[in-house]
Amino acid sequence: MKTIAIDFETANEQRASACSVGLAWIEDGRVVRVEERLIRPKTMRFSSFNIAIHGIRPDHVEDAGEFPEVMDEFADDFRNATMIAHNAAFDFSVWRACLDQYRQSYPELHYLCSVKMAQKVWPDLGSHKLDVLAAHLGLTFAHHNAAEDAAVCAQAALSIARSLKVERVQDVPARIGMKAGRLFAGGYEACTCRKA
């Protein structure tokens, strides 16, 4: 079973303005591959607020592919994969908004939210933001670099699986009352977690 962590950065407040995607593949209980691709948004409007967060400027992406071209490179990887994102509601709304903008259908996949997972497994952490989680796990990274964010998300998911003593990240939802989200040709279902 394929498991891939994903993270998007956006050029502005619009969800359809992805300007970077990071991916981290999990196999046999470890991160085996990390990739980042810059994306040229259809509308090249970059807000100073977003640039201050991730440092990506219009000139960085002017030679990059647009969303369909960039994501098509990974289409075989995504097919029937279990995806993970830290605050999946955001990342999967970016994915959907970008696909909608290009009138493309959604891929068939399931997804998990590592924020919801961390909240269930480590309820005493003051926050479950990615940088707090990284510090809790002893990981250093460049926050808001999509590849590094995806890699930390993947490491956090693996740590959660280990702390629950389950073999695979896909086994976590059954232990914490989580229902995986889903993208499919006709739409999507959100990832949800039963209240304690």
Side-chain angles (χ1 to χ4, degrees), residues 101-140:
Q101 180 174 236
Y102 289 96
R103 294 181 170 80
Q104 292 198 314
S105 62
Y106 299 169
E108 296 272 344
L109 54 84
H110 287 83
Y111 66 91
L112 306 174
C113 177
S114 56
V115 169
K116 292 180 188 299
M117 290 160 57
Q119 288 168 339
K120 282 283 196 175
V121 175
W122 299 308
D124 297 333
L125 281 182
S127 163
H128 295 88
K129 295 193 305 191
L130 197 58
D131 54 342
V132 173
L133 216 50
H136 174 70
L137 298 171
L139 304 172
T140 56

Side-chain angles (χ1 to χ4, degrees), residues 1-183:
M1 291 181 76
K2 295 180 285 189
T3 309
I4 307 168
I6 189 165
D7 181 79
F8 288 106
E9 300 297 332
T10 56
N12 58 58
E13 72 288 349
Q14 299 293 318
R15 298 293 165 108
S17 69
C19 61
S20 174
V21 62
L23 300 159
W25 283 256
I26 296 172
E27 284 177 23
D28 301 322
R30 60 192 184 90
V31 176
V32 296
R33 175 182 167 200
V34 178
E35 299 277 353
E36 180 189 16
R37 297 290 183 273
L38 292 175
I39 299 168
R40 188 174 69 250
K42 196 168 193 176
T43 305
M44 284 284 282
R45 181 176 65 82
F46 280 69
S47 79
S48 55
F49 178 81
N50 291 55
I51 291 170
I53 290 172
H54 52 57
I56 301 170
R57 300 176 174 279
D59 57 307
H60 295 151
V61 302
E62 60 190 18
D63 296 326
E66 290 191 33
F67 192 86
E69 178 189 346
V70 170
M71 298 301 277
D72 192 52
E73 177 185 349
F74 305 108
D76 288 340
D77 293 295
F78 298 146
R79 196 166 294 113
N80 299 313
T82 297
M83 306 293 295
I84 311 166
H86 202 72
N87 187 12
F90 171 78
D91 291 286
F92 282 85
S93 69
V94 169
W95 199 341
R96 293 192 322 267
C98 290
L99 289 170
D100 291 346
Q101 180 174 236
Y102 289 96
R103 294 181 170 80
Q104 292 198 314
S105 62
Y106 299 169
E108 296 272 344
L109 54 84
H110 287 83
Y111 66 91
L112 306 174
C113 177
S114 56
V115 169
K116 292 180 188 299
M117 290 160 57
Q119 288 168 339
K120 282 283 196 175
V121 175
W122 299 308
D124 297 333
L125 281 182
S127 163
H128 295 88
K129 295 193 305 191
L130 197 58
D131 54 342
V132 173
L133 216 50
H136 174 70
L137 298 171
L139 304 172
T140 56
F141 75 122
H143 200 7
H144 299 298
N145 169 284
E148 296 211 13
D149 284 4
V152 169
C153 171
Q155 294 286 4
L158 287 166
S159 292
I160 287 166
R162 282 192 291 272
S163 71
L164 292 171
K165 297 181 172 42
V166 295
E167 211 168 291
R168 303 167 314 144
V169 171
Q170 290 94 329
D171 299 325
V172 169
R175 293 292 304 276
I176 63 170
M178 174 177 274
K179 181 176 173 273
R182 195 164 75 93
L183 285 186

